[in-house]
Amino acid sequence: MTPPDELHRHHARWLQRRRRLRRLLRPLPRRANLARYPVLKWFAAHARRAAFLWSFKRANVMPSLYVGSVLAFLPVYGLQILIGLGLALGLRGNLTVMAALQMITNPLTIVPIYGFTAWVGLGAMALAGVGAGWPDALRYTNALFVGGVIVGLAFALLADLTWRLLAWEARVFRQRLDALRRHRDAARDNG
């Protein structure tokens, strides 16, 4: 296969990936569509000026990834986006990543997620010897928070590893595309 054909195919794959990513991110908060979100629109003017909320640099994504994952599994359903906005502002994190992680807990997943986090929390509390004599309501509420933190951190670690793998793969993809372009340009200059 000639390098121009390979370059064209490589570029087409890059465009396809970019379209897929944009389609995935379309429903999430962005600088341009903040007015569509019921609570976020009250903070839209300030959020638009905070460039770090929209930056996908590692320094802005990682705090949102870890804190957003923990927040997604805590029993604060309904307040997650608002709390996420506050945390993203305070930690200088990416709001899009923070909001996307809050979509993990939704009306279809809330019961299994909270059941699992309560189970994990009860197990962790039993291992630590905490809460055995507490009233059930207090023990289960505490278990939801403890389990939410544990499950959220485990999920964040997996998401971090996935992010690193995708970043490495994107870097290799760009390097190959650059090499193909240099080869094409050198062939054009020599030919």
Side-chain angles (χ1 to χ4, degrees):
M1 178 182 309
T2 62
D5 291 339
E6 188 175 351
L7 178 65
H8 179 70
R9 280 186 342 141
H10 202 70
H11 189 68
R13 283 192 306 245
W14 177 78
L15 287 174
Q16 183 182 18
R17 287 178 179 191
R18 187 174 174 178
R19 280 191 295 269
R20 195 176 316 130
L21 182 61
R22 284 184 175 202
R23 193 172 32 247
L24 182 68
L25 295 176
R26 190 175 299 138
L28 298 174
R30 292 185 313 277
R31 194 181 294 208
N33 71 359
L34 275 177
R36 290 192 328 194
Y37 293 88
V39 176
L40 293 181
K41 67 182 172 186
W42 301 334
F43 306 99
H46 179 67
R48 282 190 185 101
R49 288 190 305 267
F52 59 85
L53 288 176
W54 318 109
S55 171
F56 278 91
K57 292 180 180 174
R58 183 170 173 72
N60 302 111
V61 170
M62 285 303 125
S64 292
L65 193 67
Y66 278 90
V67 174
S69 293
V70 171
L71 179 61
F73 291 99
L74 291 179
V76 291
Y77 185 73
L79 300 174
Q80 292 170 304
I81 299 289
L82 185 58
I83 295 170
L85 172 63
L87 289 169
L89 285 168
L91 297 170
R92 300 185 62 81
N94 182 294
L95 181 61
T96 304
V97 171
M98 184 77 75
L101 288 166
Q102 303 323 301
M103 303 303 165
I104 293 170
T105 309
N106 59 61
L108 297 174
T109 63
I110 194 167
V111 172
I113 285 176
Y114 286 171
F116 181 68
T117 58
W119 178 74
V120 169
L122 286 170
M125 289 168 52
L127 281 173
V130 176
W134 294 356
D136 283 346
L138 181 60
R139 193 171 90 239
Y140 284 112
T141 302
N142 195 40
L144 279 170
F145 278 96
V146 170
V149 169
I150 293 169
V151 172
L153 287 173
F155 184 85
L157 183 61
L158 290 174
D160 184 6
L161 293 173
T162 302
W163 178 271
R164 289 171 192 257
L165 178 67
L166 291 174
W168 170 81
E169 195 269 340
R171 196 169 38 253
V172 168
F173 192 86
R174 277 193 306 272
Q175 288 171 349
R176 185 166 179 223
L177 187 61
D178 289 344
L180 287 170
R181 284 182 180 147
R182 282 193 304 274
H183 182 72
R184 179 197 61 194
D185 293 344
R188 189 179 319 145
D189 291 344
N190 292 336

